[in-house]
Amino acid sequence: ALLEACAAPAILFRAHRRAKALASRALATAAAPPPTAATESSQLFSLRPETFAQPLTHSAALHELSAPRVVLFGEIHAQPAVIAFQRRTAAAMLGEGTLHVVLEQFSFEQQHLLDAYARRELSIERLLEEYDAIGTEGHDVLSLEPLLSLAREEPRRVRLHGGFLPRPFAKLVMRESLDAALAAAAAK
């Protein structure tokens, strides 16, 4: 449905690392493939109905992904090949205006951390310390550094956003109800 609404081409990116199949899906819109190393290879497949599951060369994928404005990644977290693909996708999308990168690894309550990092007020080490001190999300934030650093390199063109509901509230929704989570958020 999102692809139809955005008229965006879709591509499946699959990374293999040290003979383990690590699947990564990308509903992508403006990217170049990640670099490959001797122990790592990547494949791109079309998810468009008319060419579904057909392999794409990296140059064909870049051509397919050059125009749309929305990119969604559903990935296995903390995989270097995936992070590299996300970084190159974001870099390829830079143009007029602001690129907004929404990160599910950060809740909206952690937005101040992303802002301070982008303004160079926090080092990556300090970002990790403060993220861990909050302690609600628990992702491998260090693995995101190549993507996060784009906001430092292009501060007027890239904005990072904490894009997830704080985990304690998400748990309340799942265990109890939306009303219970909203009540807890209002009480906070």
Side-chain angles (χ1 to χ4, degrees), residues 35-72:
T36 56
T39 60
E40 185 174 78
S41 64
S42 62
Q43 296 175 315
L44 297 169
F45 296 93
S46 173
L47 295 179
R48 294 177 130 206
E50 64 274 13
T51 56
F52 186 77
Q54 292 180 11
L56 293 172
T57 65
H58 289 171
S59 60
L62 183 58
H63 177 73
E64 285 282 318
L65 301 174
S66 61
R69 301 192 36 104
V70 175
V71 174
L72 301 174

Side-chain angles (χ1 to χ4, degrees), residues 104-188:
E104 71 172 300
Q105 293 88 344
F106 289 84
S107 74
F108 58 80
E109 289 183 333
Q110 297 169 317
Q111 183 63 46
H112 66 284
L113 298 177
L114 291 170
D115 293 342
Y117 178 78
R119 288 189 307 263
R120 298 179 182 268
E121 295 168 6
L122 290 179
S123 65
I124 190 67
E125 294 80 15
R126 187 74 181 142
L127 173 69
L128 295 171
E129 289 172 17
E130 293 195 25
Y131 180 87
D132 289 341
I134 292 170
T136 59
E137 302 308 311
H139 292 281
D140 178 7
V141 173
L142 183 58
S143 70
L144 296 172
E145 195 278 331
L147 185 59
L148 297 174
S149 67
L150 190 59
R152 288 182 151 197
E153 296 164 19
E154 299 285 349
R156 290 188 171 97
R157 299 171 61 198
V158 177
R159 174 105 162 90
L160 302 174
H161 298 277
F164 201 73
L165 178 69
R167 191 166 291 206
F169 298 125
K171 284 181 181 179
L172 274 174
V173 170
M174 297 306 295
R175 290 185 182 155
E176 295 180 36
S177 67
L178 176 58
D179 290 336
L182 291 173
K188 189 172 179 183

Side-chain angles (χ1 to χ4, degrees), residues 9-29:
I11 295 197
L12 174 67
F13 168 72
R14 208 170 60 194
H16 300 282
R17 188 176 175 93
R18 295 183 195 164
K20 292 183 182 177
L22 299 174
S24 162
R25 289 188 189 127
L27 300 178
T29 61

